[in-house]
Amino acid sequence: MSLAVSATVPKGPSELHEERRVLGVVMAAVWLVYLQSAYVAAWHAHSTIDKWVSLVALTLFAAGYVTAFTFLRQAFLSSGARSAVRGWTAFGVLAVLALLTLPGAGQQGLSTTVYLAAVGVAWLPGRQRLWAVAGTLGAVLVAQGLEPGWTDEGGDIGGILLASVAVFGITKVIERNAQLREAYEEIARLAVTEERARMSRDLHDILGHSLTVITVKAELAGKLLPVAPERAVSEVADIERLAREALADVRTTISGQRSVTLVTELGGARNALAGAGIDAEVPTAVDEVPGEHREVFGWVVREGVTNVVRHSGARTCTILLTAHSVEVVDDGRGPEDTGGGGQGLRGLRERVQQAGGRLEVGRAGPDGGFRLKVDMLP
């Protein structure tokens, strides 16, 4: 006994395009059944020349109609707009072929005008569709008035009006579907862009902090190596640990599983400031901070302490924490730019705004210093 296992392979864009084209051909060709009366009348024409001219014209008309509703349909779906030049070209060619069917098919050849009006409504933009329908109706009325015995018993006028309204409704559905498809594609593109921006921002913040602390500890280990080898070994071990943690953070960030905690960032800030030789006042408890604020406050502490260690040249740094605010203050040289700041501060500002807070950056006092504060708005 043997088992046959089959897998369904997703269809590619080219296969879907071919399926849609075939579907368009089938949908357009179905309606050609109403040309049978014109074919019968042309086949029984008294003149052989009129007979074959009408039969060839009917065949070319049918082929042209199907072409108009397949290739032009694909062009419309891909570009999202009608082309007046293509529309009038198709309409004009089909109008000439419809006229050539009359010598052999007689009044039955007027059934082609229903298809002609449908093409005009489908592929002409704006009010030009009304001109095409009006022109088609006018041509039918003129033909019926000039030829004795030609009446509207076949319902050509009603058929033109009904087909025009029906095709107009169908094209509106196609337009809405095309607009929805474009909207979905735009939403998907924006989602990808937002995710890339988030990942870039998270990697910048994570690596900026980790590499800054690693650099500080490497410098400290280098200074301690000649005078205190035991402490230098401890610092090198810390460097290895921080590098491994940074690598793990990068992996979890890329997988979208990383979350920042305020307690962890306060502990990291204490160690980073101590390693840089900066006296630190760091809160030891976060009980008063609501749970929904702790992650964004953790990012504030991370970015603020990174800037203190990297740029400030400060001797002291204080982190102040309340239920609805967090503040990082140092006595260093102060910010060179109190506006938008660097990439890290711009990313932090976006985080705070998304969380419903307000970020302030400026000097800690008249003598300089750096102050980073975030207030969560009620």
Side-chain angles (χ1 to χ4, degrees):
M1 172 182 271
S2 63
L3 295 177
V5 180
S6 62
T8 302
V9 180
K11 297 178 181 179
S14 59
E15 293 177 328
L16 291 175
H17 176 80
E18 181 64 21
E19 283 190 1
R20 290 171 181 168
R21 190 182 67 82
V22 172
L23 180 61
V25 171
V26 173
M27 292 179 63
V30 165
W31 299 104
L32 295 177
V33 65
Y34 294 105
L35 288 178
Q36 61 179 338
S37 60
Y39 268 103
V40 172
W43 182 260
H44 293 93
H46 298 293
S47 171
T48 303
I49 296 178
D50 291 344
K51 170 184 176 179
W52 288 109
V53 167
S54 296
L55 288 174
V56 171
L58 279 169
T59 303
L60 292 177
F61 181 90
Y65 171 79
V66 172
T67 300
F69 270 90
T70 52
F71 292 102
L72 290 181
R73 176 176 178 270
Q74 292 299 323
F76 170 68
L77 290 177
S78 61
S79 64
R82 292 179 174 85
S83 170
V85 174
R86 282 193 239 180
W88 281 115
T89 300
F91 185 85
V93 170
L94 291 179
V96 172
L97 293 173
L99 185 63
L100 292 175
T101 65
L102 298 180
Q107 186 175 0
Q108 299 301 324
L110 292 179
S111 59
T112 57
T113 57
V114 177
Y115 301 88
L116 186 62
V119 170
V121 172
W123 302 118
L124 289 173
R127 295 184 178 179
Q128 295 183 41
R129 290 176 282 192
L130 296 177
W131 301 345
V133 175
T136 305
L137 287 172
V140 171
L141 292 174
V142 169
Q144 291 176 353
L146 293 178
E147 287 294 328
W150 284 20
T151 63
D152 195 39
E153 293 179 358
D156 296 321
I157 300 297
I160 290 172
L161 294 175
L162 183 61
S164 299
V165 172
V167 172
F168 179 78
I170 292 172
T171 55
K172 283 299 179 183
V173 172
I174 294 176
E175 287 177 0
R176 295 295 181 267
N177 289 339
Q179 292 170 357
L180 285 174
R181 186 182 68 253
E182 291 178 358
Y184 289 147
E185 291 174 352
E186 180 67 13
I187 290 172
R189 186 187 66 81
L190 291 176
V192 171
T193 301
E194 178 63 24
E195 179 62 16
R196 287 175 177 171
R198 181 200 66 80
M199 187 175 296
S200 175
R201 182 180 61 204
D202 288 357
L203 288 176
H204 174 276
D205 294 344
I206 290 168
L207 292 179
H209 176 81
S210 300
L211 294 179
T212 297
V213 176
I214 289 173
T215 301
V216 170
K217 284 189 170 290
E219 293 176 351
L220 179 60
K223 294 177 182 178
L224 292 174
L225 189 58
V227 295
E230 297 82 3
R231 286 190 58 192
V233 170
S234 176
E235 294 297 331
V236 170
D238 279 347
I239 292 172
E240 181 182 358
R241 176 183 58 81
L242 289 169
R244 293 183 183 277
E245 290 177 354
L247 180 59
D249 285 344
V250 170
R251 288 172 176 168
T252 54
T253 297
I254 292 175
S255 64
Q257 299 175 350
R258 176 180 170 80
S259 61
V260 171
T261 63
L262 180 57
V263 173
T264 301
E265 294 306 324
L266 289 174
R270 191 179 292 109
N271 293 333
L273 293 170
I278 300 174
D279 294 333
E281 294 183 19
V282 180
T284 57
V286 298
D287 297 339
E288 62 178 329
V289 180
E292 64 269 20
H293 296 340
R294 292 185 182 181
E295 182 176 354
V296 68
F297 281 9
W299 284 111
V300 174
V301 171
R302 172 182 282 267
E303 179 62 25
V305 170
T306 299
N307 285 335
V308 171
V309 173
R310 184 186 295 172
H311 305 299
S312 69
R315 296 186 302 275
T316 63
C317 176
T318 302
I319 299 176
L320 305 174
L321 198 61
T322 69
H324 301 289
S325 68
V326 60
E327 188 173 0
V328 180
V329 183
D330 67 53
D331 63 349
R333 64 177 64 93
E336 298 179 358
D337 177 15
T338 59
Q343 180 65 31
L345 287 178
R346 284 195 292 271
L348 181 61
R349 190 181 301 277
E350 292 176 3
R351 292 183 195 276
V352 172
Q353 290 175 348
Q354 291 174 0
R358 180 180 64 248
L359 181 144
E360 299 177 10
V361 176
R363 298 187 183 279
D367 298 330
F370 177 84
R371 175 176 174 268
L372 172 65
K373 184 177 181 182
V374 167
D375 290 301
M376 301 307 297
L377 303 177

